[in-house]
Amino acid sequence: MTARPANAHQARLLRLLRDGGPGSRAQLGDQVELSRSKLAVEIDRLLDTGLVVADGLAASRGGRRSHNVRLAPQLRFLGVDIGATSIDVAVTNAELEVLGHLNQPMDVREGPVAVFEQALGLAAKLRSSGLAPGGFDGAGVGVPGPVRFPEGVPVAPPIMPGWDGFPVREALSQDLGCPVLVDNDVNLMAMGERHAGVARSVDDFLCVKIGTGIGCGIVVGGQVHRGATGSAGDIGHIQVEPDGRPCACGNKGCLEAHFGGAALARDAEAAARSGRSPELASRLDTHGRLTAADVAAAAAAGDPASLALIREGGNRVGQVIAGLVSFFNPGLVVIGGGVTGLGHHLLASIRTQVYRQSLPLATGNLPIVLGELGPTAGVTGATLLITDHLFSPAS
Amino acid sequence: MTARPANAHQARLLRLLRDGGPGSRAQLGDQVELSRSKLAVEIDRLLDTGLVVADGLAASRGGRRSHNVRLAPQLRFLGVDIGATSIDVAVTNAELEVLGHLNQPMDVREGPVAVFEQALGLAAKLRSSGLAPGGFDGAGVGVPGPVRFPEGVPVAPPIMPGWDGFPVREALSQDLGCPVLVDNDVNLMAMGERHAGVARSVDDFLCVKIGTGIGCGIVVGGQVHRGATGSAGDIGHIQVEPDGRPCACGNKGCLEAHFGGAALARDAEAAARSGRSPELASRLDTHGRLTAADVAAAAAAGDPASLALIREGGNRVGQVIAGLVSFFNPGLVVIGGGVTGLGHHLLASIRTQVYRQSLPLATGNLPIVLGELGPTAGVTGATLLITDHLFSPAS
């Protein structure tokens, strides 16, 4: 895809077709403030670029039948969502429907070179399976740490040794032969849930991702708030216990040191070894290690120690979210990430804390819900990011 | 003032003249994207409305000398800033210069009728002193609690019995005979500091007001973030101590229960009575009660108990601000409100907490400073609010 919209009207039309799917000229006309003749001109120009194609006659609305148009069906976008311990790679069409999706365990601490080798391998696999025969028209990438957004460079990521300053955008763009944008993984999850999930069309909300670590996507007026240095939403290092556990960041008592996938696994193994949980002990025997999924399964089987771990973790994260709700007064809180496998036990503890600690005015009409898209939230947000860029007038 | 700008260009010109003062047509032309002839048309129309007047010839920039224009010098705006225990009323011209300013003790718990009687009395005094002979062209009002912004109605304010749902905007507008807008006092302080104080031209920052209670103004992209129900920034009820002191809101361990003007006065009186501070005891004997100002004076005199109270309070509020900095990644934090009389001792404790607890990426280039405008921050923000409204095209 080398063509770009020539002006703001064309950009708006492309995004409407991306978000709403194929539409008639008449339907598009209802959504943009353009005269009929100007609309026709812009659509004809988009047809000329090949970004948009005709798609048959629309259903009659009375009068002459209007032609349908849609985004070119061969456009392909790549979404890459790098977590701390796994990687998701997906290919979508221009309407951001996930056509194929692969997930693999991965260790972000191996550094960018090894991780991107893996990402490119997965992308090649999707491509060669016939999902993207012509290659990719653009790619969005999420990394589990703060990003200097305009340059697409991770900065000082606490859990990502070797990534500081690595030119992700530039390097991947060369390897893939297409434009690439990079953002924090949590921001992409938030925008993914806004595009196609539980936060659909919500303009102001928080999306808390509880994976190995914990972060928060902040959406204000439909846009991600990245903060002065790109580290907004870094709630994993909010102190929850004045003299609490030592954290990887060098401080004590950070939220992440007490809850999240890594802390939960550690606590679960301690419960298994101490004899407090025969259920977890038997799982530890079988697998050699424990994860949040083991705690979820043990809790589902009624294991009191696992239930207590979830409750305590939910209280911790709920305490932090309560503060954010008082501060930010969001209209919706979405909980996502790997630990959502803990499901409704976790959600119940979080809700209890927030509804107890924040003032009624802030919580009176505040849904706190699990994300809907699971592992495709991040990759959807990633393809949204790059198409937002490509469906803007080249400047 | 009955005229309103007829279009967005006129609105922009009015705001430029408000924020930049008198200017030549040529200077204005540099700041708006209008052809010379269109600019002349819009300025002539503004001259016709009487909102703008000619102001002599501008200094030469080579070529024909341009005419200066300015906002009509007789325009007057009223700013009312209602705190928990005092009220500020000021009159400004259209460039928001404070021409007169009165402050009185007041008790917000006496309810809206009594408080507005007092406010209107002060406004009448300013008016009759010759500062606003023609009355007011608009008024902005700040109240110390959440506000349903479009209607100008306080909602469920914890420290303001009798105010819930009181139609402030409507009632005052009738009494003053001019348009009125109402907002939370902390939001107005933030916008006042942005207009004329330490946050001048900063687009993303937090303004923490420590008065009787504690609140936070959140500015994103130059706009106040009010939240889903108008309660954004309500950080006084963030829990800082799991089983801490009982708070007026019904919870335990809220920030406000441990620090702020009210908590500090209580702690100071306890220190005076227990014999821990002879300095405070002698002030209590003299005044019958203690305030933050007494603690400030005692600390300046080297009283260890007062210094400890300030340090401890600064640690508490610093702990909360550290969390907000991790979450929001602001470019600037402004500390304002009555308790800023505690000055640099307080600031030092806050900074220590924030720089210790938040990650370096968020604090690396983060000034934490005292507000510059003191008691005129709120009234300046109030007149900014109403002129923003009046200098918009009537819809």
Side-chain angles (χ1 to χ4, degrees), chain A residues 360-385:
Chain A
L361 182 60
T363 58
N365 193 13
L366 175 68
I368 303 177
V369 298
L370 293 177
E372 270 177 18
L373 301 186
T376 62
V379 290
T380 301
T383 55
L384 184 75
L385 179 74

Side-chain angles (χ1 to χ4, degrees), chain B residues 69-365:
Chain B
V69 289
R70 58 170 301 183
L71 290 169
Q74 74 277 15
L75 289 172
R76 289 293 176 273
F77 298 95
L78 184 72
V80 178
D81 186 9
I82 298 167
T85 59
S86 73
I87 183 169
D88 286 277
V89 177
V91 57
T92 73
N93 58 14
E95 282 137 15
L96 309 193
E97 288 164 348
V98 174
L99 306 177
H101 176 206
L102 296 169
N103 172 284
Q104 269 187 358
M106 181 231 35
D107 187 347
V108 76
R109 290 169 302 180
E110 289 183 7
V113 176
V115 168
F116 285 125
E117 205 177 283
Q118 200 173 344
L120 290 169
L122 293 170
K125 207 162 157 182
L126 288 167
R127 194 179 159 171
S128 66
S129 70
L131 289 173
F136 300 106
D137 297 288
V141 180
V143 297
V147 170
R148 208 157 58 224
F149 185 68
E151 300 96 329
V153 171
V155 256
I159 61 162
M160 298 165 65
W163 287 78
D164 190 16
F166 185 85
V168 175
R169 180 179 181 174
E170 217 179 288
L172 273 188
S173 179
Q174 235 158 44
D175 284 328
L176 290 166
C178 68
V180 173
L181 278 188
V182 184
D183 200 352
N184 172 266
D185 63 334
V186 189
N187 293 342
L188 294 183
M189 166 177 277
M191 290 309 278
E193 289 288 351
R194 181 167 188 270
H195 180 77
V198 70
R200 182 133 199 167
S201 84
V202 180
D203 277 345
D204 295 85
F205 69 99
L206 301 181
C207 178
V208 177
K209 180 176 181 181
I210 312 176
T212 304
I214 299 181
C216 179
I218 307 165
V219 178
V220 187
Q223 303 288 324
V224 170
H225 171 79
R226 295 193 171 80
T229 56
S231 78
D234 197 359
I235 64 171
H237 300 281
I238 290 181
Q239 197 179 53
V240 292
E241 193 77 59
D243 273 304
R245 298 181 183 175
C247 180
C249 75
N251 280 340
K252 276 185 178 175
C254 294
L255 175 58
E256 262 182 37
H258 289 271
F259 189 55
L264 189 62
R266 215 163 41 229
D267 289 348
E269 292 181 9
R273 295 215 172 84
S274 71
R276 271 179 293 137
S277 168
E279 181 76 33
L280 288 173
S282 109
R283 290 179 166 269
L284 182 58
D285 272 352
T286 316
H287 303 133
R289 55 191 278 274
L290 292 175
T291 67
D294 294 298
V295 180
D303 175 49
S306 296
L307 287 166
L309 284 177
I310 297 173
R311 195 167 48 240
E312 203 185 311
N315 285 346
R316 297 275 191 198
V317 73
Q319 179 190 340
V320 167
I321 295 176
L324 304 185
V325 165
S326 293
F327 171 69
F328 196 69
N329 188 202
L332 171 72
V333 176
V334 179
I335 312 286
V339 170
T340 50
L342 305 175
H344 286 274
H345 291 299
L346 178 69
L347 206 55
S349 310
I350 292 175
R351 285 180 177 148
T352 303
Q353 284 298 315
V354 175
Y355 295 144
R356 185 181 293 158
Q357 283 184 32
S358 302
L359 291 184
L361 180 60
T363 59
N365 193 14

Side-chain angles (χ1 to χ4, degrees), chain A residues 27 45 78 92 97 131 154 175 179 207 211 253 312 331 334 355 385:
Chain A
Q27 285 165 340
R45 285 187 186 149
L78 184 71
T92 73
E97 288 165 345
L131 290 173
D175 283 327
C207 179
E312 203 186 312
V334 178
Y355 295 145
L385 179 74

